[in-house]
Amino acid sequence: MKMKSSEEIYISPNHLAQLQTKYMPGNKYSFNSSTPRTRLERLLRERELRKFNQSFHLSNEARDGNVEGDPSGSDSPNEGDNFGIQNEEEFPEGFTEGRTTSKQRLLVVANRLPVSAVRKGEDLWQLEISVGGLVSALLGVKEFEARWIGWAGVNVPDEIGQKALTKALAEKRCIPVFLDEEIVHQYYNGYCNNILWPLFHYLGLPQEDRLATTRSFQSQFDAYKKANQMFADVVNKHYQNGDVVWCHDYHLMFLPKCLKEYNIEMKVGWFLHTPFPSSEIHRTLPSRSELLRSVLAADLVGFHTYDYARHFVSACTRILGLEGTPEGVEDQGKLTRVAAFPIGIDSDRFVRALELPQVQNHITELKERFAGRKVMLGVDRLDMIKGIPQKILAFENFLEENPNWRDKVVLLQIAVPTRTDVPEYQKLTSQVHEIVGRINGRFGTLTTVPIHHLDRSLDFHALCALYAVTDVALITSLRDGMNLVSYEFVACQASKKGVLILSESAAQSLGAGAILVNPWNITEVAASIGYALNMPADEREKRHWHNFMHVITHTSQEWAMTFVSELNDTIFEAELRTRQVPPLLPTKDAIERYLQSNNRLLILGFNSTLTEPVDNIPGRRGGQIKEMELKLHPGLMEPLKNLCDDPKTTVIVISGSDRGILDDNFSEYNMWLAAENGMFLRLTTGEWMTTMPDNLNMDWVDSVKHVFEYFTERTPRSHFELRETSLVWNYKYADIEFGRLQARDMLQHLWTGPISNASVDVVQGGRSVEVRAVGVTKGAAIDRILGEIVHNRGMKAPIDYVLCIGHFLGKDEDIYTFFEPELPSEPAAAARTKVVEPVKTSSTKVSTSKSGSKASRSKKHQALSTLEKRTCNSGSASGSCWRPTVRENTSLHEGSSVLDLKSDNYFSCAVGRKRSKARYLLGSLEDVVTLLKDLAEFSRPC
């Protein structure tokens, strides 16, 4: 069947599997299953789908005779008017996994629209297409229906003008964001260009403007946030379910956060087109944390190179204290994927342009003009980061050392003016002109000069011709996001096969075929110029072939499709992870069940559950000391007192902290305190007692202590805690990467030395290493704790309501599963047996008799004597040694036997930890405060 050229074919992944089996039997990525099993399989299938659709589309065009049409192709006057959109009809909302004949909508959000608007009357606008790198990247991408959202570059204060411009832009699939002059001045000229751009390019702030910039920083940042919110308002207005929102560049770093606040389900990607600096540079930015967290709201964050992606992840770990992984940045179970996506060019456009008559005429003129001389070319914006002065000085050095080349080579430098009203750029222009004049005066003649310098841009056809006649391209950027001039040069070198000298700081992927140089090393660049000019033809051809294959395969269209494909897959992966995340606590239901119960048990963690947040400290100064001195949250003092005074409610605070910390914070409350993961217990009106198993062996303590002391001395800002049943080394405030290396080294040393034969557990936290005796967990201790409570209070009614809240380590989350009630179909006795399984597993040698054997009592007293000795040696505030009370008459099952807990009356909640064994999730410490306040309010006597 012959198809019209305007028709498009889309193959769904399900049909692709059948086509691959039939037409591509040898393809190793031809999966038989319609559902790929892994992320890599999904991406490979997506890649095969794109290739198959492209080849099918091209073969269809060839049959219709379109390939041999006008060679100008996309260079026609109407090029890009619809930005790759083939029809004007509206597409259905949403987008399915199967990718049927409907297109997914792509909302491209950038600071500037790809058109420039000129007002011709009150309600008349003239639009001029400005095809740039981002526009050409999306030309030819036919899998998506692209719409552009951005600023039109003009101030339109009146409503009539705004409506007319909106209508005119709608024909180009563009949607305007209207910014007034003050916002533009503070947001674009101020914060973006005066602060972010220099910082991201390692330039810092201009010296003479530093004081003024610092004074106006807050107003510029406020304008930046306001402008980003205005972009978000427009996006949200036009967003439809299933759309992909793609935010671009440093102008819109706040946008992902604003969009997610509108709709958490929105698919949001963010891409940076400039370098991202190292964490040491980024930390100098006053708003560093806010910007990083805003970007992390996106689902996928993209950079041109792996180096920039690595810098971003490093900034998030070092500044925000988050977990960096090979896939991105993880924050409490939420993963933001971070990856490198090197952009390319529309290489076909340049290849086709070489055949145009006007380009051939330009080539002929240039060959005649520079006959007998080698042509070197530089095309740059006249900017500090482009290294134009360094390039020209290197060329001067080459001419000095190679006098035989002085009349045989010419350097053509195209310097496109930019920001001509900024003093620093004016100084740069004068400096470049002075150097060029001096070199031409020194090495030039009456008829020739070694440098031709142009302070202007060239049209597309003239630029292609210049690329085609060039023998050596000199790209010496000092710091660049992705310099695409080198790609354009390679695309136009089919016949000449010129040499590319490329800065190693230009973020390029053409290293295989280019001569890489340090742009600051003028001597090295000069030597590379000589090597390039004298390079044999066969080596030039090999280098060009490497470069050319990279350029034609890594196109701008492939870049765009790869990014959106990865974004879609990132959303799919996030949905899989979300299924494993506990739901938010149904607060209303928890309170209602609380009121209906007769004997309630509240088990609360302490650290990060009831503590005062360290982030409340102004400027984060002294945070380490503040966190080491754990204090009860001020907002919980009164609610906790009301809960503890309720005769129907028993409150237990269980913590890994030692007894002294719990005494300092809770001695005034009528509650139970369980220190060191439940190994020590007391009612606040009584004495401390131990709940430790009989077989607890602590002989390993001293040797582990020596190891912890060693690593504390060699890891700045780390510290360790010596507890009665465990030792904890904490490196939260140390350098994150160094701390991880030290922790890894410590673990290797522990396992091969002090604890190689000891009965201990090593528990790794986010920034800590804890060594504790086997069986010391909150879940293992809770049954014995309940037994003590029952014995002390003489409970007559069974416990019919349990609320367990904490930010526990994974090792201690067995406390959540301990209270899981029996299923309705199970007998009560069987259920109770199931409940105490964690205790049986970790304490298999604990006597279940009321008196216990003589041997078991001997072992327990031996372990306690070791603890007493260590406590006395370390000293205490009172100068006396604490001796725990030992109870021998608590049965193993005594605690669990008083539970009469129905499933609807059990609420286990993890605080801020999205991957948990708990039933429910409380987002933050403030949610805990709110919940306990509500419970306390209902606990008041009427």
Side-chain angles (χ1 to χ4, degrees):
M1 179 180 69
K2 186 174 182 180
M3 302 179 61
K4 296 180 181 180
S5 59
S6 60
E7 294 186 26
E8 296 179 5
I9 297 297
Y10 292 93
I11 310 297
S12 70
N14 292 335
H15 293 153
L16 176 64
Q18 301 174 11
L19 290 170
Q20 287 173 327
T21 303
K22 183 175 181 180
Y23 297 107
M24 296 179 283
N27 191 332
K28 64 181 178 180
Y29 300 128
S30 298
F31 307 115
N32 294 325
S33 172
S34 60
T35 304
R37 293 162 295 177
T38 66
R39 175 174 175 268
L40 180 59
E41 287 184 359
R42 289 195 300 273
L43 293 175
L44 290 173
R45 171 172 290 189
E46 186 72 17
R47 182 170 176 267
E48 291 298 311
L49 172 61
R50 289 201 307 269
K51 287 187 174 182
F52 188 84
N53 276 326
Q54 290 170 0
S55 61
F56 194 94
H57 184 70
L58 290 174
S59 62
N60 180 64
E61 284 186 342
R63 287 195 301 271
D64 287 348
N66 290 342
V67 173
E68 298 180 1
D70 180 10
S72 62
S74 62
D75 296 308
S76 62
N78 294 325
E79 177 204 353
D81 279 4
N82 292 326
F83 308 106
I85 306 302
Q86 301 299 316
N87 53 64
E88 297 292 330
E89 67 183 31
E90 291 296 326
F91 292 91
E93 291 187 11
F95 178 70
T96 62
E97 182 73 13
R99 300 226 180 161
T100 58
T101 55
S102 62
K103 292 181 181 179
Q104 185 174 23
R105 291 206 334 163
L106 178 63
L107 303 182
V108 181
V109 191
N111 176 63
R112 287 292 300 270
L113 289 172
V115 297
S116 299
V118 180
R119 195 163 191 171
K120 296 296 184 180
E122 186 179 21
D123 59 352
L124 182 62
W125 290 88
Q126 177 182 332
L127 303 179
E128 299 177 358
I129 305 299
S130 51
V131 179
L134 183 57
V135 181
S136 61
L138 294 172
L139 288 173
V141 179
K142 300 177 175 61
E143 291 188 357
F144 311 103
E145 178 194 351
R147 294 176 185 267
W148 296 74
I149 298 176
W151 176 47
V154 292
N155 180 34
V156 190
D158 59 299
E159 186 176 349
I160 296 177
Q162 290 183 5
K163 288 183 177 179
L165 181 56
T166 301
K167 183 178 179 181
L169 289 171
E171 299 177 2
K172 309 295 184 186
R173 295 292 178 96
C174 293
I175 302 167
V177 177
F178 294 105
L179 306 175
D180 60 51
E181 289 185 352
E182 179 62 21
I183 287 288
V184 171
H185 175 68
Q186 294 273 358
Y187 145 72
Y188 181 69
N189 297 327
Y191 195 76
C192 292
N193 288 342
N194 203 33
I195 296 176
L196 289 183
W197 191 91
L199 193 76
F200 282 14
H201 289 85
Y202 294 77
L203 295 178
L205 299 174
Q207 185 66 36
E208 60 269 23
D209 291 342
R210 180 163 300 183
L211 185 61
T213 301
T214 304
R215 285 177 175 173
S216 61
F217 168 81
Q218 191 57 48
S219 63
Q220 291 180 3
F221 185 55
D222 291 341
Y224 181 84
K225 292 192 290 186
K226 182 178 180 180
N228 276 247
Q229 186 61 56
M230 294 170 71
F231 275 85
D233 294 340
V234 175
V235 173
N236 187 59
K237 181 179 178 181
H238 293 86
Y239 175 80
Q240 299 176 6
N241 288 337
D243 288 355
V244 169
V245 183
W246 193 0
C247 312
H248 288 270
D249 231 354
Y250 59 93
H251 311 89
L252 302 175
M253 294 181 73
F254 223 77
L255 184 57
K257 177 176 180 288
C258 298
L259 294 176
K260 288 292 187 176
E261 288 175 350
Y262 274 123
N263 185 352
I264 193 66
E265 303 297 329
M266 193 179 292
K267 300 178 182 180
V268 180
W270 182 80
F271 191 89
L272 183 65
H273 293 267
T274 69
F276 192 89
S278 70
S279 59
E280 293 305 309
I281 298 293
H282 187 76
R283 72 166 59 249
T284 62
L285 187 64
S287 55
R288 59 195 185 186
S289 299
E290 246 184 305
L291 288 179
L292 288 176
R293 290 198 179 276
S294 299
V295 171
L296 287 175
D299 300 292
L300 176 63
V301 176
F303 299 89
H304 282 306
T305 70
Y306 170 74
D307 279 346
Y308 302 154
R310 179 172 53 84
H311 288 166
F312 177 79
V313 173
S314 176
C316 292
T317 57
R318 291 173 179 271
I319 296 173
L320 300 181
L322 301 180
E323 184 73 17
T325 71
E327 293 183 327
V329 179
E330 186 171 355
D331 182 12
Q332 298 295 341
K334 193 264 184 184
L335 176 67
T336 298
R337 193 177 298 281
V338 180
F341 301 90
I343 197 173
I345 62 171
D346 184 3
S347 56
D348 289 343
R349 180 170 178 249
F350 287 86
V351 173
R352 291 195 304 267
L354 295 177
E355 305 298 326
L356 297 175
Q358 54 267 51
V359 175
Q360 288 296 319
N361 292 337
H362 279 300
I363 291 175
T364 302
E365 292 174 3
L366 290 171
K367 285 182 177 180
E368 292 176 355
R369 175 69 179 82
F370 299 112
R373 305 175 73 182
K374 294 284 188 178
V375 177
M376 295 178 58
L377 176 64
V379 180
D380 307 277
R381 281 185 296 108
L382 191 53
D383 208 325
M384 274 81 72
I385 65 168
K386 297 300 181 179
I388 296 177
Q390 289 82 358
K391 178 194 303 185
I392 298 174
L393 290 174
F395 184 63
E396 179 184 28
N397 183 281
F398 169 75
L399 295 178
E400 287 175 349
E401 297 183 359
N402 299 273
N404 57 311
W405 275 103
R406 292 176 182 176
D407 58 348
K408 297 178 182 179
V409 64
V410 59
L411 172 62
L412 308 181
Q413 178 61 54
I414 311 300
V416 181
T418 179
R419 302 185 70 185
T420 54
D421 57 333
V422 177
E424 287 74 24
Y425 287 78
Q426 295 171 356
K427 291 179 182 178
L428 176 65
T429 303
S430 299
Q431 179 187 15
V432 170
H433 289 174
E434 178 184 346
I435 297 173
V436 170
R438 176 172 55 79
I439 295 174
N440 282 341
R442 180 181 177 189
F443 298 107
T445 65
L446 292 174
T447 56
T448 61
V449 290
I451 302 178
H452 288 245
H453 181 86
L454 275 70
D455 278 329
R456 64 182 180 86
S457 59
L458 297 179
D459 63 70
F460 176 71
H461 297 138
L463 188 60
C464 289
L466 197 54
Y467 285 144
V469 302
T470 297
D471 296 281
V472 178
L474 200 53
I475 313 296
T476 58
S477 304
L478 305 179
R479 182 74 59 178
D480 226 342
M482 180 61 75
N483 191 305
L484 297 179
V485 170
S486 56
Y487 283 65
E488 297 172 356
F489 166 74
V490 170
C492 295
Q493 281 287 310
S495 60
K496 195 83 171 182
K497 296 178 175 57
V499 181
L500 175 63
I501 298 177
L502 188 61
S503 166
E504 60 189 20
S505 304
Q508 296 291 347
S509 304
L510 300 177
I515 301 175
L516 296 180
V517 295
N518 177 359
W520 294 98
N521 190 336
I522 291 175
T523 302
E524 179 188 353
V525 177
S528 298
I529 292 174
Y531 182 76
L533 290 173
N534 293 291
M535 185 178 292
D538 59 337
E539 184 180 349
R540 286 206 315 270
E541 188 167 349
K542 289 178 181 178
R543 287 177 176 271
H544 170 74
W545 176 253
H546 279 288
N547 290 339
F548 187 72
M549 292 306 297
H550 180 87
V551 169
I552 64 175
T553 53
H554 295 78
T555 63
S556 54
Q557 292 84 5
E558 185 67 22
W559 166 77
M561 289 190 292
T562 300
F563 185 91
V564 179
S565 176
E566 288 259 8
L567 177 56
N568 279 321
D569 190 78
T570 298
I571 299 295
F572 181 75
E573 285 269 310
E575 291 174 353
L576 294 179
R577 286 194 301 273
T578 302
R579 295 172 188 171
Q580 304 170 1
V581 174
L584 293 176
L585 174 70
T587 305
K588 183 179 179 181
D589 189 33
I591 295 175
E592 288 179 356
R593 296 284 178 178
Y594 176 86
L595 296 175
Q596 295 170 5
S597 57
N598 296 314
N599 192 3
R600 311 147 182 158
L601 178 64
L602 269 58
I603 302 176
L604 307 175
F606 182 44
N607 196 357
S608 299
T609 305
L610 304 178
T611 50
E612 181 181 7
V614 182
D615 292 340
N616 287 349
I617 303 171
R620 293 172 58 89
R621 302 187 191 281
Q624 181 174 0
I625 302 300
K626 184 76 173 180
E627 184 162 331
M628 291 172 65
E629 298 174 357
L630 297 176
K631 297 294 182 183
L632 178 64
H633 193 293
L636 286 174
M637 294 180 178
E638 184 177 351
L640 269 182
K641 186 177 186 306
N642 294 333
L643 290 171
C644 293
D645 292 342
D646 186 349
K648 291 185 177 181
T649 304
T650 301
V651 179
I652 305 174
V653 172
I654 185 168
S655 172
S657 301
D658 60 34
R659 295 166 292 107
I661 292 177
L662 296 187
D663 281 339
D664 291 342
N665 285 278
F666 299 103
S667 58
E668 298 179 0
Y669 298 89
N670 181 26
M671 62 167 61
W672 288 87
L673 302 178
E676 300 206 21
N677 301 303
M679 293 298 101
F680 300 102
L681 178 70
R682 85 173 178 108
L683 186 62
T684 49
T685 57
E687 297 295 327
W688 283 100
M689 64 188 76
T690 180
T691 65
M692 285 187 290
D694 295 338
N695 61 338
L696 200 64
N697 188 336
M698 303 295 293
D699 295 341
W700 49 268
V701 171
D702 289 336
S703 56
V704 172
K705 177 185 174 184
H706 292 317
V707 175
F708 278 21
E709 287 175 341
Y710 174 86
F711 280 93
T712 300
E713 291 173 0
R714 284 155 180 77
T715 310
R717 301 190 70 184
S718 69
H719 65 279
F720 82 94
E721 301 174 51
L722 177 62
R723 299 172 180 172
E724 305 298 332
T725 57
S726 65
L727 288 91
V728 182
W729 183 66
N730 191 301
Y731 58 95
K732 179 176 182 179
Y733 286 93
D735 179 273
I736 180 63
E737 294 182 4
F738 182 61
R740 286 174 183 165
L741 291 174
Q742 292 290 80
R744 189 184 309 161
D745 193 16
M746 172 191 284
L747 290 171
Q748 291 176 351
H749 183 76
L750 287 173
W751 284 120
T752 57
I755 64 174
S756 57
N757 296 314
S759 297
V760 298
D761 283 329
V762 177
V763 184
Q764 288 185 262
R767 306 282 173 80
S768 65
V769 176
E770 180 177 359
V771 179
R772 59 170 77 156
V774 169
V776 177
T777 68
K778 293 179 174 66
I782 195 66
D783 189 68
R784 296 189 293 273
I785 293 173
L786 287 178
E788 291 290 350
I789 294 174
V790 171
H791 186 273
N792 180 278
R793 294 187 60 173
M795 287 185 181
K796 303 301 182 183
I799 296 173
D800 58 355
Y801 178 94
V802 174
L803 173 63
C804 183
I805 305 174
H807 181 85
F808 301 130
L809 295 172
K811 182 75 174 178
D812 294 319
E813 286 203 338
D814 54 356
I815 193 173
Y816 296 137
T817 56
F818 174 86
F819 285 101
E820 285 296 339
E822 67 272 14
L823 297 173
S825 60
E826 292 182 335
R832 289 194 186 100
T833 303
K834 182 179 180 181
V835 168
V836 298
E837 279 180 1
V839 180
K840 284 185 177 180
T841 303
S842 57
S843 307
T844 55
K845 295 184 181 180
V846 178
S847 173
T848 57
S849 67
K850 290 190 176 182
S851 61
S853 67
K854 182 177 181 180
S856 66
R857 288 197 302 273
S858 175
K859 288 181 180 179
K860 175 178 282 191
H861 284 296
Q862 182 179 1
L864 291 177
S865 64
T866 304
L867 294 175
E868 293 167 18
K869 183 178 179 181
R870 287 197 295 108
T871 306
C872 293
N873 290 340
S874 61
S876 62
S878 62
S880 60
C881 299
W882 168 81
R883 294 180 180 274
T885 302
V886 182
R887 285 188 56 84
E888 299 287 351
N889 57 349
T890 302
S891 170
L892 178 68
H893 303 286
E894 187 175 349
S896 58
S897 64
V898 297
L899 292 176
D900 183 18
L901 196 59
K902 295 181 180 179
S903 180
D904 292 341
N905 277 14
Y906 176 50
F907 299 89
S908 56
C909 308
V911 181
R913 187 184 296 277
K914 293 189 176 180
R915 295 180 183 177
S916 173
K917 297 177 182 178
R919 287 186 169 193
Y920 302 106
L921 178 68
L922 283 170
S924 66
L925 192 151
E926 295 305 318
D927 294 333
V928 178
V929 174
T930 302
L931 174 63
L932 295 183
K933 281 183 177 179
D934 291 342
L935 291 177
E937 186 67 28
F938 290 108
S939 295
R940 291 177 181 273
C942 299

